[in-house]
PDB file of all heavy atoms in Angstrom:
ATOM      1  N   TYR A  40       1.900  18.363   4.627  1.00 93.00           N
ATOM      2  CA  TYR A  40       2.575  19.495   4.003  1.00 93.00           C
ATOM      3  C   TYR A  40       2.249  19.525   2.548  1.00 93.00           C
ATOM      4  O   TYR A  40       2.001  18.429   1.938  1.00 93.00           O
ATOM      5  CB  TYR A  40       4.106  19.420   4.095  1.00 93.00           C
ATOM      6  CG  TYR A  40       4.577  19.353   5.518  1.00 93.00           C
ATOM      7  CD1 TYR A  40       4.731  18.197   6.165  1.00 93.00           C
ATOM      8  CD2 TYR A  40       5.100  20.539   6.098  1.00 93.00           C
ATOM      9  CE1 TYR A  40       5.319  18.114   7.436  1.00 93.00           C
ATOM     10  CE2 TYR A  40       5.609  20.478   7.383  1.00 93.00           C
ATOM     11  CZ  TYR A  40       5.704  19.284   8.089  1.00 93.00           C
ATOM     12  OH  TYR A  40       6.255  19.231   9.305  1.00 93.00           O
ATOM     13  N   GLU A  65       3.075  29.833   4.047  1.00 78.00           N
ATOM     14  CA  GLU A  65       4.093  30.652   3.459  1.00 78.00           C
ATOM     15  C   GLU A  65       3.476  31.729   2.500  1.00 78.00           C
ATOM     16  O   GLU A  65       2.283  31.723   2.298  1.00 78.00           O
ATOM     17  CB  GLU A  65       5.164  29.876   2.748  1.00 78.00           C
ATOM     18  CG  GLU A  65       6.058  29.034   3.703  1.00 78.00           C
ATOM     19  CD  GLU A  65       6.909  29.969   4.605  1.00 78.00           C
ATOM     20  OE1 GLU A  65       7.873  30.508   4.068  1.00 78.00           O
ATOM     21  OE2 GLU A  65       6.574  30.073   5.798  1.00 78.00           O
ATOM     22  N   SER A 106      10.196  18.045  15.325  1.00 65.00           N
ATOM     23  CA  SER A 106      10.948  18.397  14.084  1.00 65.00           C
ATOM     24  C   SER A 106      11.875  17.346  13.733  1.00 65.00           C
ATOM     25  O   SER A 106      12.328  17.226  12.605  1.00 65.00           O
ATOM     26  CB  SER A 106      11.668  19.677  14.264  1.00 65.00           C
ATOM     27  OG  SER A 106      12.650  19.525  15.300  1.00 65.00           O
ATOM     28  N   GLN A 110      10.013  13.194   7.284  1.00 91.00           N
ATOM     29  CA  GLN A 110       8.826  13.435   6.443  1.00 91.00           C
ATOM     30  C   GLN A 110       8.753  12.318   5.372  1.00 91.00           C
ATOM     31  O   GLN A 110       9.788  11.863   4.887  1.00 91.00           O
ATOM     32  CB  GLN A 110       8.779  14.777   5.790  1.00 91.00           C
ATOM     33  CG  GLN A 110       8.685  15.930   6.806  1.00 91.00           C
ATOM     34  CD  GLN A 110       8.550  17.275   6.120  1.00 91.00           C
ATOM     35  OE1 GLN A 110       8.134  17.382   5.013  1.00 91.00           O
ATOM     36  NE2 GLN A 110       8.935  18.308   6.915  1.00 91.00           N
ATOM     37  N   GLY A 113       4.899  12.100  -1.023  1.00 95.00           N
ATOM     38  CA  GLY A 113       4.100  11.472  -2.061  1.00 95.00           C
ATOM     39  C   GLY A 113       4.933  11.523  -3.359  1.00 95.00           C
ATOM     40  O   GLY A 113       6.022  12.038  -3.417  1.00 95.00           O
TER      41      GLY A 113
ATOM     42  N   TYR B  37      17.857  23.699  15.130  1.00 86.00           N
ATOM     43  CA  TYR B  37      17.168  22.666  15.878  1.00 86.00           C
ATOM     44  C   TYR B  37      17.381  21.251  15.427  1.00 86.00           C
ATOM     45  O   TYR B  37      17.641  20.334  16.232  1.00 86.00           O
ATOM     46  CB  TYR B  37      15.576  23.005  15.872  1.00 86.00           C
ATOM     47  CG  TYR B  37      14.867  22.168  16.954  1.00 86.00           C
ATOM     48  CD1 TYR B  37      14.916  22.552  18.226  1.00 86.00           C
ATOM     49  CD2 TYR B  37      14.158  21.005  16.610  1.00 86.00           C
ATOM     50  CE1 TYR B  37      14.233  21.865  19.245  1.00 86.00           C
ATOM     51  CE2 TYR B  37      13.532  20.300  17.532  1.00 86.00           C
ATOM     52  CZ  TYR B  37      13.546  20.644  18.860  1.00 86.00           C
ATOM     53  OH  TYR B  37      12.937  19.927  19.802  1.00 86.00           O
ATOM     54  N   HIS B  40      17.975  17.361   8.601  1.00 94.00           N
ATOM     55  CA  HIS B  40      17.560  16.142   7.947  1.00 94.00           C
ATOM     56  C   HIS B  40      18.369  15.993   6.666  1.00 94.00           C
ATOM     57  O   HIS B  40      18.712  16.998   5.940  1.00 94.00           O
ATOM     58  CB  HIS B  40      16.151  16.199   7.480  1.00 94.00           C
ATOM     59  CG  HIS B  40      15.147  16.380   8.578  1.00 94.00           C
ATOM     60  ND1 HIS B  40      13.805  15.943   8.506  1.00 94.00           N
ATOM     61  CD2 HIS B  40      15.231  16.820   9.886  1.00 94.00           C
ATOM     62  CE1 HIS B  40      13.177  16.200   9.592  1.00 94.00           C
ATOM     63  NE2 HIS B  40      13.981  16.723  10.462  1.00 94.00           N
ATOM     64  N   TYR B  42      18.001  13.768   3.032  1.00 96.00           N
ATOM     65  CA  TYR B  42      17.047  13.012   2.226  1.00 96.00           C
ATOM     66  C   TYR B  42      17.761  12.585   0.937  1.00 96.00           C
ATOM     67  O   TYR B  42      18.638  13.201   0.421  1.00 96.00           O
ATOM     68  CB  TYR B  42      15.840  13.816   1.794  1.00 96.00           C
ATOM     69  CG  TYR B  42      14.826  14.065   2.883  1.00 96.00           C
ATOM     70  CD1 TYR B  42      14.985  15.122   3.721  1.00 96.00           C
ATOM     71  CD2 TYR B  42      13.742  13.263   3.062  1.00 96.00           C
ATOM     72  CE1 TYR B  42      14.105  15.357   4.817  1.00 96.00           C
ATOM     73  CE2 TYR B  42      12.790  13.438   4.200  1.00 96.00           C
ATOM     74  CZ  TYR B  42      13.027  14.501   4.928  1.00 96.00           C
ATOM     75  OH  TYR B  42      12.116  14.745   5.988  1.00 96.00           O
ATOM     76  N   SER B  49      10.135   9.904  -5.032  1.00 90.00           N
ATOM     77  CA  SER B  49       9.956  10.938  -3.984  1.00 90.00           C
ATOM     78  C   SER B  49      11.151  10.964  -3.106  1.00 90.00           C
ATOM     79  O   SER B  49      11.893   9.970  -2.932  1.00 90.00           O
ATOM     80  CB  SER B  49       8.724  10.654  -3.096  1.00 90.00           C
ATOM     81  OG  SER B  49       7.683  10.139  -3.807  1.00 90.00           O
ATOM     82  N   ASP B 105       7.790  23.204  12.638  1.00 68.00           N
ATOM     83  CA  ASP B 105       7.138  22.509  11.508  1.00 68.00           C
ATOM     84  C   ASP B 105       7.757  22.862  10.092  1.00 68.00           C
ATOM     85  O   ASP B 105       7.469  22.232   9.232  1.00 68.00           O
ATOM     86  CB  ASP B 105       5.650  22.769  11.506  1.00 68.00           C
ATOM     87  CG  ASP B 105       4.927  21.955  12.464  1.00 68.00           C
ATOM     88  OD1 ASP B 105       5.182  20.688  12.514  1.00 68.00           O
ATOM     89  OD2 ASP B 105       4.140  22.408  13.274  1.00 68.00           O
ATOM     90  N   LYS B 106       8.517  23.916  10.112  1.00 75.00           N
ATOM     91  CA  LYS B 106       9.029  24.406   8.814  1.00 75.00           C
ATOM     92  C   LYS B 106      10.343  23.828   8.584  1.00 75.00           C
ATOM     93  O   LYS B 106      11.265  23.921   9.388  1.00 75.00           O
ATOM     94  CB  LYS B 106       9.090  25.900   8.792  1.00 75.00           C
ATOM     95  CG  LYS B 106       9.428  26.486   7.463  1.00 75.00           C
ATOM     96  CD  LYS B 106       9.430  28.013   7.518  1.00 75.00           C
ATOM     97  CE  LYS B 106       9.917  28.653   6.265  1.00 75.00           C
ATOM     98  NZ  LYS B 106       9.859  30.047   6.355  1.00 75.00           N
TER      99      LYS B 106
END
Side-chain angles (χ1 to χ4, degrees):
Chain A
Y40 302 84
E65 286 296 286
S106 64
Q110 294 187 22
Chain B
Y37 193 79
H40 297 203
Y42 287 85
S49 323
D105 279 312
K106 184 173 174 180

